[in-house]
Amino acid sequence: MTTLLVIAKEPRPGRVKTRLTPPYTPVQAAALAEAALADTLATVAASSARRRILVLDGAPGDWLPAGIEVVPQAAGGLDERIAAAFSLCRGPALLIGMDTPQVTPELLGPALEPGPGDGADAWFGPATDGGFWALGLTRPDPGLVLGVPMSTPHTGTAQRDRLIAAGLSVRDLPELRDVDTARDARLVAADAPAGRFAALVTGLASAGVR
């Protein structure tokens, strides 16, 4: 049974989703970040994971559902923080972020409960911006992440290449769009209209914020 990790920032104005401003104000951008995180955690809570951990930069709020552990993020760059999150696990682990509120338990299912004879050593979820939204390791090894350049158009390729170079058998999850810009927010909301994130995007658009 797999541990499901979510790496996230506390949704505070001026600290999250700054690329949404403009057209959104810092307060609106933080509200969108909170909605995205809440939708993500609802999926995590509904998943088949054995253990659910939020690796958080900041303090939890009323958006945190029951049944999810909270641990502080390590210091350092994103590669160091992801590596430290994997070091919390002694068995298979899948890490996702807070930027894909359209994620569902069904999307995570193959990595959480591989089918008979699957034999994957790693699971990789590419993002449309060139990064990745999910990384799963059957045997968590921080060294598989440390030193990978983060937040570039080639991050996903570099991370997947690192896994292959280590001799791992890699299975791919579907490509998803991260919410980085206002256009991303609109597209993700249209793709997953039933969530809290989509409701907020729609409400802000009705108020003239697009």
Side-chain angles (χ1 to χ4, degrees), residues 25 41 52 71 79 103-104 106 117 134 158 163 201 204:
T25 68
L41 293 177
R52 304 166 180 85
V71 300
D79 63 319
V103 71
T104 64
E106 291 74 24
L163 303 176
V201 171
L204 290 171

Side-chain angles (χ1 to χ4, degrees), residues 37-121:
L37 180 55
D39 283 349
T40 301
L41 293 177
T43 290
V44 170
S47 75
S48 61
R50 172 182 59 86
R51 186 182 179 196
R52 304 166 180 85
I53 303 176
L54 173 62
V55 186
L56 183 64
D57 176 3
D62 57 10
W63 38 262
L64 179 70
I68 296 179
E69 303 173 49
V70 179
V71 300
Q73 278 188 34
L78 182 55
D79 63 319
E80 295 171 294
R81 288 179 276 140
I82 291 175
F86 276 115
S87 72
L88 299 170
C89 307
R90 295 294 176 263
L94 176 66
L95 179 139
I96 64 174
M98 61 182 286
D99 298 335
T100 51
Q102 71 273 46
V103 71
T104 64
E106 291 74 24
L107 282 172
L108 299 178
L112 293 176
E113 296 184 277
D118 183 271
D121 301 310

Side-chain angles (χ1 to χ4, degrees), residues 130-149:
F132 60 92
W133 66 270
L135 178 61
L137 299 172
T138 301
R139 297 176 180 83
D141 177 359
L144 293 170
V145 181
L146 286 171
V148 173

Side-chain angles (χ1 to χ4, degrees), residues 28 31 58 64 75 93 104 143 152 157 161 183 190 196:
Q28 291 168 340
L64 179 70
T104 64
T152 80
T157 298
D161 287 349
R183 179 175 181 271
R196 177 174 165 180

